[in-house]
Amino acid sequence: MTNVSAAPMSGADPRTLATREKASLKDANGKAVKSKDRHTVNWPLTIVLAVLSLVILVPLYFTLVTALKTPATVGGFDWPSKMHWENFSTAAQMVDLGHVAFNSLIITVAAVVLTLMTNTFVAYAVARNQDKKFFRFLYFFFIAAMFVPFQVLMLPLAKQMGMLHLDNRIGLIILYVIFGLGTNLFIATAFINSIPFSLEEAARIDGAGTWKIFFTIIMPLMGPINATIAITTTLWAWNDFLMPLIVMTDASNTTIPLAQYVFSSQFATNYPVAFSSYLMAMLPVLVVYVISQKWVISGVMRGAVKGE
């Protein structure tokens, strides 16, 4: 049994009150009882995470430092004595940043919208019909597709998209929706299975159909999962280089990663201008991820742990 002292008098020093409250938490034998609200720091794990974070922070710092230098002073981690901000404007002109960013924006937004409109439907159908062989086959088929290396599919995919006249932005958007289905189905199905089926039964008793149940009950509850799917699809579609390279044939549809390839050649590379372009391309998705990282973490945890 824990002894708790009586309420302190008003006007007392807060530090004194905290000390008295800490001292008063004792058991029947007079031993101190640890407060459950007291936060303890796992220092070994904190140190490991701090060291591992350097893997990201050091290259990011090197990129920023290099972007502000001249080709003659590139190298090392020292901060430049004179910052050359004109590298950013030069990079924007060389890659036609406004045009290629617009292409990337169209592809990314369309891929995210279509992914949310289709993958959630498939996940709901599979989750509520896993007792049927056909839907179980679909589930394991799409999950198994996650383990097929993309390099195996590159040449057949490029030929097929050319034959279908989909070697453009529309074809690229369709591929993002299809290739993301495996991962999205995995996390969304696990989350839908954790939703009590009694909610749907009560709605059906009230006369609601499948589509109404999905849009009024399932979709609102899938907020964290949908946020996770949207953000991961955004990062993938915005930063992807390989799929646009093998699919799109029209130079006017070039995305930012493809346009940045102009900085690399067999003979020379202008590292300051190239790194300036990388920073400008990275900034939008970095801001999006920093703002929405809590939804990514909560969505992955809810989709990975049944019953959460």
Side-chain angles (χ1 to χ4, degrees):
M1 183 175 180
T2 303
N3 297 323
V4 181
S5 59
M9 297 177 59
S10 59
D13 188 357
R15 291 175 294 181
T16 304
L17 296 179
T19 304
R20 290 179 180 177
E21 182 180 0
K22 180 179 178 181
S24 63
L25 296 176
K26 297 181 180 180
D27 58 12
N29 298 326
K31 296 182 179 180
V33 178
K34 293 183 179 181
S35 173
K36 294 182 180 180
D37 296 331
R38 189 182 306 167
H39 177 69
T40 57
V41 178
N42 189 338
W43 286 110
L45 182 59
T46 302
I47 294 174
V48 171
L49 292 177
V51 173
L52 293 178
S53 66
L54 296 178
V55 178
I56 303 297
L57 295 178
V58 172
L60 185 61
Y61 171 79
F62 180 78
T63 302
L64 178 61
V65 168
T66 304
L68 296 175
K69 293 183 177 180
T70 61
T73 58
V74 166
F77 292 88
D78 56 309
W79 191 262
S81 57
K82 180 181 179 181
M83 293 179 287
H84 297 269
W85 298 103
E86 66 274 8
N87 291 334
F88 291 92
S89 60
T90 303
Q93 293 175 2
M94 290 183 64
V95 300
D96 194 6
L97 185 62
H99 178 71
V100 297
F102 180 72
N103 288 335
S104 293
L105 182 62
I106 291 178
I107 294 171
T108 302
V109 172
V112 170
V113 172
L114 287 179
T115 296
L116 293 178
M117 290 176 59
T118 58
N119 291 14
T120 50
F121 296 160
V122 176
Y124 177 65
V126 171
R128 289 298 185 248
N129 295 279
Q130 285 189 336
D131 56 327
K132 300 182 173 76
K133 292 183 179 180
F134 175 72
F135 288 94
R136 281 204 308 270
F137 169 77
L138 283 181
Y139 177 76
F140 290 111
F141 175 79
F142 286 116
I143 296 300
M146 298 169 53
F147 300 95
V148 179
F150 181 72
Q151 290 77 6
V152 177
L153 306 174
M154 285 174 51
L155 294 180
L157 185 64
K159 185 176 181 179
Q160 182 181 8
M161 300 303 286
M163 293 173 57
L164 297 175
H165 302 288
L166 290 175
D167 48 350
N168 47 39
R169 290 185 298 195
I170 296 177
L172 188 61
I173 293 169
I174 295 175
L175 290 179
Y176 283 135
V177 175
I178 295 175
F179 278 94
L181 184 58
T183 304
N184 299 335
L185 183 66
F186 177 74
I187 62 176
T189 302
F191 178 77
I192 294 174
N193 285 332
S194 68
I195 299 176
F197 191 69
S198 57
L199 295 176
E200 299 181 38
E201 292 178 337
R204 291 189 186 278
I205 293 175
D206 292 337
T210 301
W211 287 104
K212 186 175 182 180
I213 291 174
F214 179 79
F215 284 109
T216 59
I217 297 177
I218 303 301
M219 279 294 285
L221 294 176
M222 290 182 65
I225 294 297
N226 287 336
T228 302
I229 293 175
I231 295 166
T232 54
T233 304
T234 299
L235 296 176
W236 177 29
W238 183 272
N239 295 322
D240 189 28
F241 171 78
L242 190 57
M243 196 178 297
L245 178 65
I246 66 172
V247 170
M248 292 195 300
T249 57
D250 190 353
S252 62
N253 294 329
T254 301
T255 60
I256 289 181
L258 283 180
Q260 290 174 337
Y261 193 64
V262 71
F263 296 114
S264 300
S265 66
Q266 183 179 357
F267 304 102
T269 299
N270 190 336
Y271 288 106
V273 176
F275 280 41
S276 300
S277 176
Y278 301 154
L279 285 175
M280 288 188 292
M282 179 180 61
L283 184 60
V285 290
L286 182 63
V287 172
V288 170
Y289 185 77
V290 169
I291 295 175
S292 55
Q293 61 178 329
K294 61 180 181 180
W295 289 291
V296 177
I297 297 173
S298 65
V300 171
M301 293 301 296
R302 291 181 184 224
V305 182
K306 186 176 181 180
E308 289 294 327

